[in-house]
Amino acid sequence: MPNAYIPLFSTPPPPSDFIYPYGDQQSQFGQLRIPKGPQKHPVIINFHGGWWRAKHDLNTQSYFCQALTQQGFATWNVEYTRIGENQACWPNTFQDVANAVDFLRSIEEKHNLDLNRVITLGFSAGASLALWAASRPVIKPTSPLYTKNPLAVAGAVSLAGAIDLQECSTRQLSDSVVDQFMGGNYFEKQERYQLVSPAEFTLAAIPHLIIHGKEDTSVPYSISESFHQKARENTSATIDLCLFDNCEHFDLIDPGSVFWPQILKKITTLYQKIA
């Protein structure tokens, strides 16, 4: 990738290697990118941001996924039903996430994927989906979101993550979009929030990497700070928090930003822990 800034929203996205549907709805598909080489490929499952609204799609992170694939990671860039589309929001979007993750089993051999080295990664609102997906193996059978034998992932990454849905709701971020996505505010739908907000459910005992910029005006970095503190006290998961000075929201998914080498190093280190 060039070192110059990439206009994420004005430049046509780079093509993926393959596009696969994992469901029947228009937005139930993913873009797969495969690195060169005959070896089995570690996998990053990416969930894009955009506050779960239909006007924002997976192409906002196409450059990001392409850059990761050029570094040796297969990337599965997931689209999912979003606000403004049929069957979006609670609980269907989470079922999309589950189906998209488990779909990788059907193409594992065809694309030489190493499903023992899978991490989920999410940006902004997508981070809540990524962390939830990583903890599916510890969801209780009594949950409406329970899936038998979900694909177990080995690590999870949050970039500028909206990973405390109660806090995002209380702050009324992005015109109270969390309340719309969840079908009500925290006090109206507390049980729902407790099932899917990473700050509240039981995290799987795997490494978690939490990265946030201190100049983020979309999702305050204090959300990641407080999540880190709560998680350290209440879970057996390993939580690594990294805060960047002079870093804005979209800097974290721009491979042309000055933060990209550090983010790549952090992700590579995470994979080394699970190798």
Side-chain angles (χ1 to χ4, degrees), residues 36-261:
K36 297 179 180 179
Q39 70 280 3
K40 291 180 73 68
H41 308 301
V43 183
I44 295 176
I45 305 175
N46 179 76
F47 296 97
H48 70 85
W51 288 119
W52 315 288
R53 291 189 174 104
K55 66 180 180 179
H56 303 295
D57 64 21
L58 79 175
N59 284 322
T60 60
Q61 284 180 243
S62 291
Y63 279 108
F64 180 77
C65 289
Q66 181 188 59
L68 287 170
T69 299
Q70 290 175 345
Q71 295 298 321
F73 303 104
T75 56
W76 175 230
N77 190 16
V78 175
E79 191 57 278
Y80 48 87
T81 50
R82 304 174 309 289
I83 297 170
E85 295 183 304
N86 185 36
Q87 299 185 24
C89 306
W90 167 273
N92 297 323
T93 298
F94 295 94
Q95 293 168 346
D96 282 2
V97 168
N99 291 335
V101 171
D102 292 345
F103 176 81
L104 288 179
R105 286 175 169 145
S106 68
I107 57 173
E108 173 185 7
E109 293 186 7
K110 180 178 181 180
H111 296 295
N112 208 21
L113 305 178
D114 187 350
L115 296 191
N116 291 316
R117 291 190 295 160
V118 176
I119 68 169
T120 55
L121 180 151
F123 169 65
S124 193
S128 62
L129 303 178
L131 268 59
W132 177 80
S135 288
R136 289 175 59 224
V138 298
I139 293 177
K140 296 180 180 179
T142 54
S143 169
L145 296 175
Y146 173 77
T147 301
K148 187 177 181 180
N149 191 31
L151 178 67
V153 304
V157 179
S158 167
L159 301 177
I163 49 179
D164 187 334
L165 297 185
Q166 178 186 2
E167 183 66 16
C168 292
S169 174
T170 300
R171 290 173 179 251
Q172 300 181 330
L173 296 183
S174 193
D175 299 322
S176 298
V177 67
V178 176
D179 299 358
Q180 185 178 1
F181 181 63
M182 295 298 294
N185 64 38
Y186 180 81
F187 298 101
E188 294 168 334
K189 303 294 182 182
Q190 184 174 351
E191 183 178 353
R192 293 182 180 182
Y193 281 73
Q194 290 173 340
L195 290 173
V196 297
S197 176
E200 298 198 49
F201 61 67
T202 301
L203 298 174
I206 58 175
H208 287 67
L209 173 60
I210 312 299
I211 301 177
H212 221 124
K214 289 188 175 181
E215 300 301 321
D216 194 324
T217 58
S218 297
V219 182
Y221 77 89
S222 60
I223 289 178
S224 285
E225 276 192 317
S226 62
F227 171 85
H228 178 242
Q229 185 61 37
K230 291 178 185 177
R232 289 180 63 191
E233 296 172 353
N234 301 318
T235 183
S236 57
T238 303
I239 314 291
D240 181 17
L241 174 66
C242 178
L243 300 177
F244 290 134
D245 292 326
N246 303 313
C247 179
E248 299 180 2
H249 192 62
F250 292 103
D251 287 338
L252 297 183
I253 58 168
D254 177 10
S257 79
V258 297
F259 304 100
W260 167 245

Side-chain angles (χ1 to χ4, degrees), residues 19-30 76 99-100 103 106:
I19 296 177
Y20 288 108
Y22 62 83
D24 297 329
Q25 297 295 314
Q26 180 178 353
S27 292
Q28 293 173 338
F29 70 93
W76 175 230
N99 291 335
F103 176 81
S106 68

